[in-house]
Amino acid sequence: MSLATHDRPPATTGTVAGRAGAPNPGSRRRRSDSGWWPLLFAGPFFLGIAVFYLFPIVQTAYFSFTDWGPFGGVTFVGGENWRSLLSDDEFLRALFNTVVYVLVVLLGVPIAVGLATLLNRPTLRGTMVYRTMFFLPYLAMPVAIALVWRLMFNGDFGVINAFLGLFGIDGPYWLSTPGFALVAVAIVGLWMAVGFNIIILSAGLRSIPPELYEAASLDGASRWSQFVRITVPLLTPSIFFVVVMNVIGGFQLFDLLFAILGNNPVIADTKSLVYLFYDESFVLNNRGYGAAIAFVILLIVAIVTAIQFRLQRRWVHYA
């Protein structure tokens, strides 16, 4: 009886089973601790986004409803800046100029597709030299580029008018005529963007399997047919990327316009949205109105980019 009374194997077995079935506090601690590591490493990134992007956006939105005095006094004026903006002819003209500039720069995308295709041919020698030559304008300083192109667009002794004279065309005074001044700036922007587009599109061309071209050649497809049915469809992701980047960069037009035209009186009819923001905020010290212009630029770029991402489902083909 004594042995039966002090015999505790069943209790010991139950205790062991209970410990085996119970959750381990150490494992819970390890799982909870491991959840903080991604936040620890991603925290500086999100902090930078909040400080340098989200906070300025919110601050600009607030400033667009205020009026700044000449000595820094801030007065809340409600939607007065926005009402003035929608009825401002100068703002509408700047919006029109920016859209025209973006459309001209986008003409460089099909040009870059053709040049990238030519540079990607295996029989072409010195490919790296040509790519470097096309990419150098994108790396050069806009001020240096502007000085060179101002000489080329000179109405009296510029190279462009001299070239047009060979065909009996009397070239205009590019930088002193409102319409031609905008076209001249857009041509320079197109020239600068082509190099960047070629590099991106060349990388996209290298990702196309050469077996597709070999199979198409065996089926009797011409080079033009291969370009239309193979190259362009498989290159659409890269084309979509350069289109988005060119549109965003086009709406940020300022430094090239400022460097080429400078204090030229024609700048009054050739302002871009960013130039108008600079003029209102820092020259006329109308910072509340300038903040409204800046927020409109943000909205336009966001809406246009969202539309592009929406439409890309119809024409972009991902292999």
Side-chain angles (χ1 to χ4, degrees):
M1 296 294 295
S2 174
L3 293 174
T5 304
H6 296 284
D7 189 10
R8 301 178 181 268
T12 304
T13 304
T15 305
V16 173
R19 291 180 179 176
N24 189 353
S27 64
R28 285 201 307 269
R29 187 179 301 110
R30 285 194 297 271
R31 286 197 298 268
S32 62
D33 291 345
S34 62
W36 290 99
W37 284 103
L39 296 178
L40 179 63
F41 286 104
F45 172 77
F46 288 111
L47 181 62
I49 292 293
V51 172
F52 296 106
Y53 289 91
L54 298 181
F55 176 73
I57 291 175
V58 175
Q59 189 179 42
T60 302
Y62 169 73
F63 286 161
S64 66
F65 296 98
T66 61
D67 182 31
W68 290 58
F71 299 101
V74 180
T75 305
F76 186 82
V77 294
E80 183 63 29
N81 291 327
W82 291 91
R83 285 190 292 268
S84 301
L85 190 66
L86 296 177
S87 60
D88 188 0
D89 293 336
E90 190 175 13
F91 168 76
L92 297 178
R93 188 186 304 113
L95 177 61
F96 174 78
N97 294 338
T98 305
V99 172
V100 170
Y101 175 84
V102 170
L103 293 177
V104 174
V105 170
L106 286 179
L107 294 177
V109 175
I111 297 175
V113 171
L115 292 175
T117 304
L118 293 176
L119 294 176
N120 200 55
R121 297 179 59 182
T123 57
L124 182 64
R125 296 182 179 181
T127 303
M128 295 302 299
V129 176
Y130 291 118
R131 289 176 180 171
T132 303
M133 292 174 59
F134 281 115
F135 193 63
L136 281 177
Y138 182 77
L139 298 177
M141 296 295 294
V143 176
I145 292 175
L147 292 176
V148 175
W149 279 93
R150 285 177 66 176
L151 295 176
M152 295 177 62
F153 278 117
N154 188 280
D156 295 322
F157 53 84
V159 176
I160 295 178
N161 280 357
F163 176 76
L164 294 176
L166 298 177
F167 302 94
I169 301 175
D170 189 12
Y173 285 89
W174 294 89
L175 303 182
S176 58
T177 308
F180 287 106
L182 179 61
V183 173
V185 175
I187 290 174
V188 180
L190 184 152
W191 175 74
M192 293 177 61
V194 164
F196 172 80
N197 297 341
I198 289 177
I199 296 301
I200 301 299
L201 295 172
S202 297
L205 288 171
R206 289 188 175 185
S207 64
I208 301 177
E211 294 82 7
L212 297 178
Y213 296 102
E214 296 175 1
S217 299
L218 294 176
D219 290 338
S222 62
R223 287 189 176 180
W224 174 253
S225 180
Q226 295 177 25
F227 175 77
V228 174
R229 298 180 180 274
I230 298 177
T231 303
V232 174
L234 296 181
L235 196 60
T236 48
S238 300
I239 296 175
F240 171 70
F241 175 78
V242 297
V243 167
V244 172
M245 296 302 295
N246 281 305
V247 170
I248 295 176
F251 276 100
Q252 297 175 349
L253 171 66
F254 172 74
D255 51 356
L256 192 63
L257 183 65
F258 185 82
I260 292 180
L261 298 182
N263 295 324
N264 195 321
V266 77
I267 193 64
D269 297 321
T270 321
K271 292 180 181 179
S272 64
L273 286 176
V274 179
Y275 195 102
L276 181 62
F277 158 75
Y278 161 79
D279 197 22
E280 292 288 343
S281 300
F282 300 101
V283 177
L284 302 178
N285 200 29
N286 194 358
R287 298 185 181 181
Y289 191 71
I293 297 174
F295 203 79
V296 167
I297 297 173
L298 172 64
L299 292 178
I300 292 175
V301 172
I303 293 173
V304 172
T305 305
I307 293 174
Q308 289 177 302
F309 272 92
R310 183 70 176 179
L311 296 179
Q312 61 99 14
R313 302 177 183 178
R314 301 182 180 181
W315 64 277
V316 178
H317 306 281
Y318 294 97

